[in-house]
Amino acid sequence: MLILYLVTILFDCLHAVYFDDYDHHPKARGAPSTDDIEFEPVMTLTKDKEKLLTMKNIDCDNFAEYARNCTNDAASVYNSVKKSPPMPGQVYDWCKAIRHLTNCAIDWNSDCKDVTDSHFNEESIRGHMHVVNNICNDEAFLSRYDELPGCIEGSAEAWEKCYAFFKAAVDEQKNTTHEWTHFETHFFMCCARAKFRRCTADALFDIPKVCPYEQAVTLQQFSAIVSEGDVFQNCDINVMYDKCPGGDPRPTGKSLSKLMNQQSHSTSLSSESRVGVILLIFYFVCGLIK
Ligand SMILES: *[C@@H]1O[C@H](CO)[C@@H](O)[C@H](O)[C@H]1NC(C)=O
Ligand SMILES: *[C@@H]1O[C@H](CO)[C@@H](O)[C@H](O)[C@H]1NC(C)=O
């Protein structure tokens, strides 16, 4: 039964990848104004009274300093030079820091837009919000994440290597003179994202003693969400992954079948994990953006 699901999903997914699915609305590309509604929940969700008072006094002449202040404030909440996933006990602070950065940027963009051209990139803001919504506001995910300390610790070094490579590639692209949605920038960023996912998956599913299968699935989901936050673009359609620098970053049939085999060996998976596995395959193959 599960296999049937997987085949169906894989087919849908491949369909989306290989046959342009015009009903599928690219999420983060195109005119920003169409998605404006998305800003509201996070703003109202996290803007407490204190925040409302301070936001009245933004010095809109000083973008660089404002940005530095935001970063420093966030770092005082969650300060880690390491980029590896936060330990379960630190997720709350990690989330708080991301929320702070998000609101900081939203405040500037809404309060200073008439005064200055300097602004935070909206795609970045949406990326942060994506992470907040899919990790920080997702109780079910957080409760599975709680079980991961050993896996996070044991894979931290490998994960961080994957991420450092990914971040460098993405920052280099974001630093170009092009819009981030320019087709070339988009292409390289999607390649980097797919490569990162494969990199973490290869690491996580290779250490079953440290990261039992279910935990690897959860942490891989974390990787996928975080990478979507950094490259908040629709990479599912029209990306020629076979032309990516360094070769096609999508998982090979072999690694996919390894995943599925492990699934069938492991009879004790809860139904929640099964959903996780299905999602994982989804993430794996076509980098689903919800
Ligand atoms: C940055 O923070 C300092 C110290 O809190 C504050 O005095 C300054 O006004 C802030 N700068 C901006 C541009 O918000
Ligand atoms: C971005 O570009 C500037 C100017 O071209 C350069 O000085 C800087 O090092 C670049 N940063 C990254 C992360 O590539």
Side-chain angles (χ1 to χ4, degrees), residues 59 62 65-66 69:
D59 170 10
N62 214 333
E65 189 184 314
Y66 179 85
N69 280 2

Side-chain angles (χ1 to χ4, degrees), residues 6 11 15 20-21 28 69 71-72 79 90 112 158 166 218 220:
L6 289 177
F11 180 78
H15 186 83
D20 296 351
D21 182 351
N69 280 2
T71 313
N72 290 344
N79 192 7
Q90 297 175 313
C112 298
F166 167 61
T218 305
Q220 179 63 18

Side-chain angles (χ1 to χ4, degrees), residues 140-179:
F141 182 82
L142 287 179
S143 72
R144 276 186 289 134
Y145 196 85
D146 266 346
E147 294 158 20
L148 300 186
C151 176
I152 292 172
E153 207 156 38
S155 63
E157 202 177 315
W159 202 97
E160 197 155 352
K161 262 188 207 155
C162 296
Y163 192 75
F165 196 84
F166 167 61
K167 198 80 175 96
V170 169
D171 284 349
E172 189 190 323
Q173 289 304 318
K174 289 183 174 176
N175 206 14
T176 63
T177 51
H178 297 311
E179 280 291 319

Side-chain angles (χ1 to χ4, degrees), residues 119-192:
H119 62 277
F120 292 90
N121 183 286
E122 297 206 343
E123 185 180 308
S124 264
I125 297 176
R126 291 205 183 107
H128 279 89
M129 289 170 63
H130 177 75
V131 173
V132 169
N133 288 334
N134 289 280
I135 294 177
C136 304
N137 294 347
D138 185 338
E139 291 299 328
F141 182 82
L142 287 179
S143 72
R144 276 186 289 134
Y145 196 85
D146 266 346
E147 294 158 20
L148 300 186
C151 176
I152 292 172
E153 207 156 38
S155 63
E157 202 177 315
W159 202 97
E160 197 155 352
K161 262 188 207 155
C162 296
Y163 192 75
F165 196 84
F166 167 61
K167 198 80 175 96
V170 169
D171 284 349
E172 189 190 323
Q173 289 304 318
K174 289 183 174 176
N175 206 14
T176 63
T177 51
H178 297 311
E179 280 291 319
W180 294 357
T181 48
H182 182 278
F183 70 92
E184 212 172 82
T185 308
H186 173 66
F187 169 71
F188 285 122
M189 292 211 287
C190 287
C191 286

